[in-house]
Amino acid sequence: LDKVKIGLYLSKGPKEKYPFISEVLTEFCKLFSFEGLSFSEALRMFLSTFRLPGEAQCIDRLMESFASRLFEVQLVQLLGHRLEQTQSVEKAMLEPPRDNTDCDSVNANERVGALDPPALTHQPVLPFKNADAAYILSFSTIMLNTDLHNPNMKEERRMTLEQFIRNNRGINDGADLPVEFLTSLYQEIKNDEIKMKADLDDIIMQKGMENVDSDVQFDGFLSKASDVAAPFFTAANSAREITMAGIHERDMFLSISSAAVQAMAGVFVESWDDALVIKALDGLYNASQI
């Protein structure tokens, strides 16, 4: 399935207008088991399954569902750890007494600590007190990822660790998230960008493409093909009439021809989707006939 269309479909809203799609999004999130993953690992896994839409409301619906599922998994994991601890304590209490007639020979410290509850073997990975904290941090992490890896931003203007921690104060039900947790998250995003599929606009607007030799470009096409997101096209099978262009049509073509040819060339150069390549070639051919 096309990841662009998946993201657009799942994020469609509002819930009152599209209740079925909202249920689909909820069930989609239930497919993810985030147990044992760090926050950034869970977010990467979730975002790798679709292309994140550009509209804030669409992102809001996706991140809200992600946060709800993540917090649900955290609660199940925490309850499982507590149940394991309780069972361990009960087992220790039900064990038969030691076969030792001389109680005085038993070390006093050993007697005192005999029924102490065992330590948790697994500590919860995530520190959220509610789903809202995970939701806010999801947005904050996406903003951090864009800020740290935007090639157009100057280094001195990028978000620092101190700023990231300050921006997320009080989001955990009025309390702060652990500094160690936020520091680890910041370093993970800084060292490993959360990469998403590129739009066609990202390819066309890529700087320096016109100055690169075509043979060099062609050598890198295959490696870039998986990053290309297919755009939507309207039907192109309508009847066409060959007419003589007037003065207005001529001026309009001259004003848009350069950008149009560049756009179609970008599709032809970067896409390995046969349908898109055929459309691009058809467009370039028609432009050459005018």
Side-chain angles (χ1 to χ4, degrees), residues 154-170:
K154 297 181 180 179
E155 290 297 327
E156 59 270 16
R157 296 181 60 87
R158 298 189 189 278
M159 188 181 302
T160 64
L161 173 60
E162 292 73 19
Q163 291 172 333
F164 180 66
I165 294 176
R166 184 171 63 249
N167 292 342
N168 291 285
R169 285 178 180 171

Side-chain angles (χ1 to χ4, degrees), residues 16 46 64-65 78 97 125 128 133 146 166 198 201 207 255 261 271 276 282:
E16 295 75 18
F46 184 69
E64 183 178 6
S65 297
L78 181 59
V125 176
F128 302 119
T146 303
R166 184 171 63 249
D201 291 340
K207 294 184 177 180
S255 64
V261 169
S271 178
L276 295 183
D282 186 48

Side-chain angles (χ1 to χ4, degrees), residues 227-246:
D227 295 329
V228 179
F232 292 99
F233 285 95
T234 55
N237 57 356
S238 57
R240 299 176 181 175
E241 297 181 0
I242 300 177
T243 58
M244 185 65 68

Side-chain angles (χ1 to χ4, degrees), residues 76-126:
V76 172
Q77 184 178 358
L78 181 59
L79 290 175
H81 292 159
R82 290 180 177 176
L83 178 61
E84 179 184 352
Q85 182 184 30
T86 301
Q87 292 175 343
S88 299
V89 173
E90 291 177 349
K91 181 179 179 181
M93 295 178 67
L94 293 175
E95 287 182 351
R98 300 178 182 181
D99 187 13
N100 192 337
T101 56
D102 188 7
C103 295
D104 294 335
S105 63
V106 180
N107 185 281
N109 293 331
E110 186 178 347
R111 282 202 310 272
V112 171
L115 296 181
D116 288 347
L120 282 173
T121 56
H122 302 284
Q123 292 294 334
V125 176
L126 304 175

